[in-house]
PDB file of all heavy atoms in Angstrom:
ATOM      1  N   ALA A  45      -0.538  19.700  13.035  1.00 38.00           N
ATOM      2  CA  ALA A  45       0.485  18.641  13.295  1.00 38.00           C
ATOM      3  C   ALA A  45       0.250  17.462  12.360  1.00 38.00           C
ATOM      4  O   ALA A  45      -0.791  17.311  11.744  1.00 38.00           O
ATOM      5  CB  ALA A  45       0.283  18.157  14.759  1.00 38.00           C
ATOM      6  N   PRO A  46       1.352  16.603  12.297  1.00 41.00           N
ATOM      7  CA  PRO A  46       1.180  15.565  11.395  1.00 41.00           C
ATOM      8  C   PRO A  46       0.131  14.528  11.728  1.00 41.00           C
ATOM      9  O   PRO A  46      -0.132  13.610  10.912  1.00 41.00           O
ATOM     10  CB  PRO A  46       2.556  14.856  11.408  1.00 41.00           C
ATOM     11  CG  PRO A  46       3.479  15.946  11.907  1.00 41.00           C
ATOM     12  CD  PRO A  46       2.626  16.790  12.834  1.00 41.00           C
ATOM     13  N   ALA A  47      -0.480  14.654  12.909  1.00 42.00           N
ATOM     14  CA  ALA A  47      -1.460  13.715  13.321  1.00 42.00           C
ATOM     15  C   ALA A  47      -2.638  13.767  12.347  1.00 42.00           C
ATOM     16  O   ALA A  47      -2.946  14.824  11.740  1.00 42.00           O
ATOM     17  CB  ALA A  47      -1.938  13.958  14.698  1.00 42.00           C
ATOM     18  N   ALA A  48      -3.408  12.674  12.263  1.00 43.00           N
ATOM     19  CA  ALA A  48      -4.439  12.683  11.320  1.00 43.00           C
ATOM     20  C   ALA A  48      -5.532  13.625  11.712  1.00 43.00           C
ATOM     21  O   ALA A  48      -6.006  13.711  12.847  1.00 43.00           O
ATOM     22  CB  ALA A  48      -5.129  11.191  11.316  1.00 43.00           C
ATOM     23  N   ALA A  49      -6.030  14.414  10.724  1.00 41.00           N
ATOM     24  CA  ALA A  49      -7.094  15.371  10.973  1.00 41.00           C
ATOM     25  C   ALA A  49      -8.505  14.675  10.896  1.00 41.00           C
ATOM     26  O   ALA A  49      -8.651  13.607  10.248  1.00 41.00           O
ATOM     27  CB  ALA A  49      -7.025  16.456  10.037  1.00 41.00           C
ATOM     28  N   PRO A  50      -9.464  15.179  11.621  1.00 45.00           N
ATOM     29  CA  PRO A  50     -10.848  14.616  11.477  1.00 45.00           C
ATOM     30  C   PRO A  50     -11.229  14.660  10.013  1.00 45.00           C
ATOM     31  O   PRO A  50     -11.016  15.575   9.268  1.00 45.00           O
ATOM     32  CB  PRO A  50     -11.662  15.463  12.399  1.00 45.00           C
ATOM     33  CG  PRO A  50     -10.889  16.755  12.513  1.00 45.00           C
ATOM     34  CD  PRO A  50      -9.454  16.382  12.392  1.00 45.00           C
ATOM     35  N   THR A  51     -12.013  13.705   9.738  1.00 44.00           N
ATOM     36  CA  THR A  51     -12.514  13.511   8.330  1.00 44.00           C
ATOM     37  C   THR A  51     -13.461  14.605   8.050  1.00 44.00           C
ATOM     38  O   THR A  51     -14.554  14.795   8.696  1.00 44.00           O
ATOM     39  CB  THR A  51     -13.281  12.125   8.185  1.00 44.00           C
ATOM     40  OG1 THR A  51     -12.340  11.128   8.460  1.00 44.00           O
ATOM     41  CG2 THR A  51     -13.729  11.965   6.666  1.00 44.00           C
ATOM     42  N   PRO A  52     -13.196  15.471   7.056  1.00 44.00           N
ATOM     43  CA  PRO A  52     -14.164  16.548   6.677  1.00 44.00           C
ATOM     44  C   PRO A  52     -15.347  16.015   5.961  1.00 44.00           C
ATOM     45  O   PRO A  52     -15.298  15.049   5.252  1.00 44.00           O
ATOM     46  CB  PRO A  52     -13.309  17.409   5.759  1.00 44.00           C
ATOM     47  CG  PRO A  52     -12.363  16.455   5.081  1.00 44.00           C
ATOM     48  CD  PRO A  52     -12.046  15.398   6.130  1.00 44.00           C
ATOM     49  N   THR A  53     -16.423  16.698   6.140  1.00 43.00           N
ATOM     50  CA  THR A  53     -17.673  16.331   5.442  1.00 43.00           C
ATOM     51  C   THR A  53     -17.840  17.209   4.261  1.00 43.00           C
ATOM     52  O   THR A  53     -17.468  18.335   4.219  1.00 43.00           O
ATOM     53  CB  THR A  53     -18.889  16.503   6.398  1.00 43.00           C
ATOM     54  OG1 THR A  53     -18.902  17.916   6.778  1.00 43.00           O
ATOM     55  CG2 THR A  53     -18.807  15.597   7.601  1.00 43.00           C
ATOM     56  N   PRO A  54     -18.381  16.660   3.207  1.00 42.00           N
ATOM     57  CA  PRO A  54     -18.629  17.483   1.995  1.00 42.00           C
ATOM     58  C   PRO A  54     -19.526  18.695   2.190  1.00 42.00           C
ATOM     59  O   PRO A  54     -20.460  18.538   2.950  1.00 42.00           O
ATOM     60  CB  PRO A  54     -19.229  16.462   0.959  1.00 42.00           C
ATOM     61  CG  PRO A  54     -18.905  15.084   1.540  1.00 42.00           C
ATOM     62  CD  PRO A  54     -18.852  15.304   2.979  1.00 42.00           C
ATOM     63  N   THR A  55     -19.101  19.704   1.570  1.00 41.00           N
ATOM     64  CA  THR A  55     -19.898  20.957   1.701  1.00 41.00           C
ATOM     65  C   THR A  55     -20.516  21.325   0.352  1.00 41.00           C
ATOM     66  O   THR A  55     -20.090  20.820  -0.622  1.00 41.00           O
ATOM     67  CB  THR A  55     -19.019  22.099   2.209  1.00 41.00           C
ATOM     68  OG1 THR A  55     -18.047  22.311   1.245  1.00 41.00           O
ATOM     69  CG2 THR A  55     -18.427  21.861   3.539  1.00 41.00           C
ATOM     70  N   ALA A  56     -21.448  22.130   0.435  1.00 42.00           N
ATOM     71  CA  ALA A  56     -22.194  22.581  -0.839  1.00 42.00           C
ATOM     72  C   ALA A  56     -21.438  23.619  -1.575  1.00 42.00           C
ATOM     73  O   ALA A  56     -21.786  23.909  -2.690  1.00 42.00           O
ATOM     74  CB  ALA A  56     -23.592  22.969  -0.479  1.00 42.00           C
ATOM     75  N   ALA A  57     -20.469  24.296  -0.960  1.00 43.00           N
ATOM     76  CA  ALA A  57     -19.788  25.377  -1.604  1.00 43.00           C
ATOM     77  C   ALA A  57     -18.853  24.821  -2.745  1.00 43.00           C
ATOM     78  O   ALA A  57     -18.141  23.924  -2.573  1.00 43.00           O
ATOM     79  CB  ALA A  57     -18.941  26.153  -0.595  1.00 43.00           C
ATOM     80  N   VAL A  58     -18.874  25.461  -3.825  1.00 42.00           N
ATOM     81  CA  VAL A  58     -18.052  25.058  -4.938  1.00 42.00           C
ATOM     82  C   VAL A  58     -17.036  26.130  -5.201  1.00 42.00           C
ATOM     83  O   VAL A  58     -17.330  27.328  -5.326  1.00 42.00           O
ATOM     84  CB  VAL A  58     -18.888  24.907  -6.277  1.00 42.00           C
ATOM     85  CG1 VAL A  58     -18.041  24.468  -7.400  1.00 42.00           C
ATOM     86  CG2 VAL A  58     -19.958  23.851  -5.990  1.00 42.00           C
ATOM     87  N   SER A  59     -15.779  25.670  -5.264  1.00 45.00           N
ATOM     88  CA  SER A  59     -14.656  26.645  -5.464  1.00 45.00           C
ATOM     89  C   SER A  59     -14.705  27.232  -6.816  1.00 45.00           C
ATOM     90  O   SER A  59     -14.974  26.541  -7.826  1.00 45.00           O
ATOM     91  CB  SER A  59     -13.342  25.936  -5.114  1.00 45.00           C
ATOM     92  OG  SER A  59     -12.226  26.846  -5.489  1.00 45.00           O
ATOM     93  N   LEU A  60     -14.294  28.498  -7.007  1.00 52.00           N
ATOM     94  CA  LEU A  60     -14.262  29.153  -8.266  1.00 52.00           C
ATOM     95  C   LEU A  60     -13.065  28.556  -9.106  1.00 52.00           C
ATOM     96  O   LEU A  60     -13.152  28.488 -10.343  1.00 52.00           O
ATOM     97  CB  LEU A  60     -14.065  30.675  -8.092  1.00 52.00           C
ATOM     98  CG  LEU A  60     -15.278  31.342  -7.573  1.00 52.00           C
ATOM     99  CD1 LEU A  60     -14.954  32.806  -7.232  1.00 52.00           C
ATOM    100  CD2 LEU A  60     -16.426  31.336  -8.493  1.00 52.00           C
ATOM    101  N   SER A  61     -11.995  28.168  -8.454  1.00 63.00           N
ATOM    102  CA  SER A  61     -10.835  27.579  -9.129  1.00 63.00           C
ATOM    103  C   SER A  61     -10.909  26.037  -8.895  1.00 63.00           C
ATOM    104  O   SER A  61     -11.180  25.547  -7.793  1.00 63.00           O
ATOM    105  CB  SER A  61      -9.531  28.087  -8.569  1.00 63.00           C
ATOM    106  OG  SER A  61      -8.443  27.407  -9.046  1.00 63.00           O
ATOM    107  N   ASN A  62     -10.742  25.361  -9.961  1.00 75.00           N
ATOM    108  CA  ASN A  62     -10.804  23.875  -9.845  1.00 75.00           C
ATOM    109  C   ASN A  62      -9.507  23.264  -9.383  1.00 75.00           C
ATOM    110  O   ASN A  62      -9.444  22.071  -9.189  1.00 75.00           O
ATOM    111  CB  ASN A  62     -11.205  23.213 -11.205  1.00 75.00           C
ATOM    112  CG  ASN A  62     -10.187  23.545 -12.342  1.00 75.00           C
ATOM    113  OD1 ASN A  62      -9.098  24.019 -12.064  1.00 75.00           O
ATOM    114  ND2 ASN A  62     -10.590  23.296 -13.536  1.00 75.00           N
ATOM    115  N   GLU A  63      -8.479  24.061  -9.087  1.00 80.00           N
ATOM    116  CA  GLU A  63      -7.186  23.499  -8.609  1.00 80.00           C
ATOM    117  C   GLU A  63      -7.435  22.799  -7.270  1.00 80.00           C
ATOM    118  O   GLU A  63      -6.722  21.814  -6.954  1.00 80.00           O
ATOM    119  CB  GLU A  63      -6.155  24.591  -8.548  1.00 80.00           C
ATOM    120  CG  GLU A  63      -5.738  25.131  -9.870  1.00 80.00           C
ATOM    121  CD  GLU A  63      -5.138  24.142 -10.768  1.00 80.00           C
ATOM    122  OE1 GLU A  63      -4.300  23.405 -10.371  1.00 80.00           O
ATOM    123  OE2 GLU A  63      -5.533  24.009 -11.974  1.00 80.00           O
ATOM    124  N   SER A  64      -8.237  23.379  -6.413  1.00 83.00           N
ATOM    125  CA  SER A  64      -8.505  22.823  -5.045  1.00 83.00           C
ATOM    126  C   SER A  64      -9.224  21.537  -5.099  1.00 83.00           C
ATOM    127  O   SER A  64      -9.233  20.776  -4.185  1.00 83.00           O
ATOM    128  CB  SER A  64      -9.265  23.841  -4.185  1.00 83.00           C
ATOM    129  OG  SER A  64     -10.456  24.139  -4.754  1.00 83.00           O
ATOM    130  N   ARG A  65      -9.886  21.257  -6.279  1.00 87.00           N
ATOM    131  CA  ARG A  65     -10.607  19.938  -6.426  1.00 87.00           C
ATOM    132  C   ARG A  65      -9.899  18.947  -7.313  1.00 87.00           C
ATOM    133  O   ARG A  65     -10.441  17.988  -7.695  1.00 87.00           O
ATOM    134  CB  ARG A  65     -11.962  20.286  -7.059  1.00 87.00           C
ATOM    135  CG  ARG A  65     -12.829  21.238  -6.208  1.00 87.00           C
ATOM    136  CD  ARG A  65     -14.218  21.474  -6.895  1.00 87.00           C
ATOM    137  NE  ARG A  65     -14.140  22.403  -7.978  1.00 87.00           N
ATOM    138  CZ  ARG A  65     -14.336  22.013  -9.236  1.00 87.00           C
ATOM    139  NH1 ARG A  65     -14.568  20.785  -9.561  1.00 87.00           N
ATOM    140  NH2 ARG A  65     -14.290  22.935 -10.222  1.00 87.00           N
ATOM    141  N   LYS A  66      -8.600  19.220  -7.515  1.00 89.00           N
ATOM    142  CA  LYS A  66      -7.826  18.408  -8.423  1.00 89.00           C
ATOM    143  C   LYS A  66      -7.022  17.457  -7.679  1.00 89.00           C
ATOM    144  O   LYS A  66      -6.266  17.715  -6.690  1.00 89.00           O
ATOM    145  CB  LYS A  66      -6.936  19.360  -9.288  1.00 89.00           C
ATOM    146  CG  LYS A  66      -6.238  18.664 -10.371  1.00 89.00           C
ATOM    147  CD  LYS A  66      -5.448  19.686 -11.199  1.00 89.00           C
ATOM    148  CE  LYS A  66      -4.656  19.096 -12.353  1.00 89.00           C
ATOM    149  NZ  LYS A  66      -3.992  20.098 -13.088  1.00 89.00           N
TER     150      LYS A  66
END
Side-chain angles (χ1 to χ4, degrees):
T51 303
T53 57
T55 61
V58 178
S59 175
L60 292 171
S61 173
N62 60 12
E63 295 298 312
S64 61
R65 300 182 282 110
K66 187 175 180 180

